[in-house]
């Protein structure tokens, strides 16, 4: 493990964190009064999945490669449908709000939805297990930890930006957040199915 190992892990983390950043942005838009501990918890969930998925991929490469390669076809489909559902639900709830409800605070992001977002934005990181297959276990854990740390900080920034913009957009933030999630799901699907 040298400088190039750390640099590659950081750049890998930046690349993998872009979907989580966009979802964090959408969550910040939807909940513009979010406090720091909640932001840390949300970013922590995304970081956990960005740590877990590459490690799961690494384990698959070292144990059940054949089964994993067959499953890889479904990764973009799973991410697409999860984000399409969450984004569509967010848009529907924003559009169907009554005038009286607009005075009440926006509903908070539930833990179940957060877990689904975490999985959907990190499921493509399973493939990273192939790129780090030559690492030993300790190096794979270190690389996954660096990816998780980068994801955490990028998601914190996404939440902060989303909160700032969400305050200015007020009632339209939920619609924009939903559109962002659907766009991310579509991008994952198109790049995963058509540009392999």
């Amino acid at each position: 493990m040298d400088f190039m190992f750390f640099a590659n892990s950081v750049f890998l983390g930046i690349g993998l964190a872009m979907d989580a950043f966009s979802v964090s942005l959408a969550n910040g838009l939807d909940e513009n009064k979010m406090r720091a501990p909640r932001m840390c918890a949300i970013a922590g969930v995304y970081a956990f999945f960005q740590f877990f998925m590459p490690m799961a991929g690494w384990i698959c490469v070292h144990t059940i490669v054949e089964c994993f390669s067959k499953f890889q076809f479904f990764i973009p489909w799973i991410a697409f449908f999860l984000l399409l559902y969450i984004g569509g639900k967010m848009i529907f709830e924003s559009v169907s709000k009554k005038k009286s409800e607009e005075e009440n605070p926006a509903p908070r992001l539930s833990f179940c939805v957060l877990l689904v977002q975490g999985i959907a934005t990190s499921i493509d990181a399973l493939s990273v297990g192939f790129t780090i297959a030559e690492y030993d276990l300790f190096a794979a854990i270190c690389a996954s930890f660096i990816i998780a740390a980068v994801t955490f900080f990028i998601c914190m920034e996404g939440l902060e930006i989303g909160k700032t913009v969400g305050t200015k957009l007020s009632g339209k933030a939920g619609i924009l957040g939903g559109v962002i999630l659907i766009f991310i799901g579509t991008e994952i699907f198109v790049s995963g199915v058509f540009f392999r």
Side-chain angles (χ1 to χ4, degrees), residues 25-33 158-174 176:
L25 189 68
N27 289 334
L29 283 167
D30 203 39
E31 196 177 325
N32 55 31
K33 296 200 181 343
L159 288 164
E160 192 60 48
I161 293 168
K163 278 174 48 183
T164 305
V165 175
T167 305
K168 294 175 183 169
L169 290 176
S170 102
K172 306 285 188 263
L176 181 59

Side-chain angles (χ1 to χ4, degrees), residues 2 44 55 58 69 74-75 85 96 108 130 136 140 151-152 156-157 175 181:
D2 55 6
M55 283 307 301
W58 183 88
S69 61
F74 297 104
I75 290 175
Y85 170 74
S96 65
R108 290 165 54 100
F130 284 129
D136 62 21
T151 299
F152 179 84
M156 287 294 287
E157 195 58 37
I175 296 170
L181 293 180

Side-chain angles (χ1 to χ4, degrees), residues 2-195:
D2 55 6
F3 173 76
M4 284 308 297
F5 168 84
F6 288 103
N8 287 340
S9 298
V10 168
F11 286 124
L12 201 52
I14 292 169
L16 289 172
M18 287 302 102
D19 291 338
F21 169 80
S22 300
V23 175
S24 297
L25 189 68
N27 289 334
L29 283 167
D30 203 39
E31 196 177 325
N32 55 31
K33 296 200 181 343
M34 192 182 302
R35 295 182 184 272
R38 182 162 167 77
M39 290 170 64
C40 287
I42 290 170
V45 168
Y46 297 138
F48 167 76
F49 280 108
Q50 291 289 14
F51 170 83
F52 175 77
M53 292 296 186
M55 283 307 301
W58 183 88
I59 290 167
C60 286
V61 168
H62 288 272
T63 54
I64 49 172
V65 173
E66 197 173 317
C67 294
F68 180 70
S69 61
K70 289 177 183 171
F71 173 74
Q72 204 171 12
F73 169 78
F74 297 104
I75 290 175
W77 293 87
I78 293 168
F80 174 69
F81 285 115
L82 288 175
L83 290 173
L84 183 68
Y85 170 74
I86 295 167
K89 188 170 181 274
M90 192 182 285
I91 291 171
F92 177 77
E93 287 173 355
S94 294
V95 170
S96 65
K97 273 185 186 174
K98 296 178 181 172
K99 295 272 185 181
S100 60
E101 290 176 336
E102 289 176 1
E103 296 171 5
N104 297 329
R108 290 165 54 100
L109 175 69
S110 72
F111 184 68
C112 289
V113 171
L114 180 59
L115 287 180
V116 171
Q117 288 180 352
I119 293 167
T121 57
S122 66
I123 197 164
D124 57 336
L126 274 169
S127 303
V128 172
F130 284 129
T131 66
I132 63 173
E134 74 277 3
Y135 293 174
D136 62 21
L137 179 60
F138 180 71
I141 290 171
C142 287
S144 297
F145 181 76
I146 292 168
I147 290 167
V150 169
T151 299
F152 179 84
F153 289 112
I154 287 176
C155 289
M156 287 294 287
E157 195 58 37
L159 288 164
E160 192 60 48
I161 293 168
K163 278 174 48 183
T164 305
V165 175
T167 305
K168 294 175 183 169
L169 290 176
S170 102
K172 306 285 188 263
I175 296 170
L176 181 59
V179 169
I180 289 170
L181 293 180
I182 291 170
F183 176 77
I184 296 165
T186 305
E187 183 271 325
I188 291 171
F189 176 76
V190 170
S191 62
V193 171
F194 298 108
F195 298 104

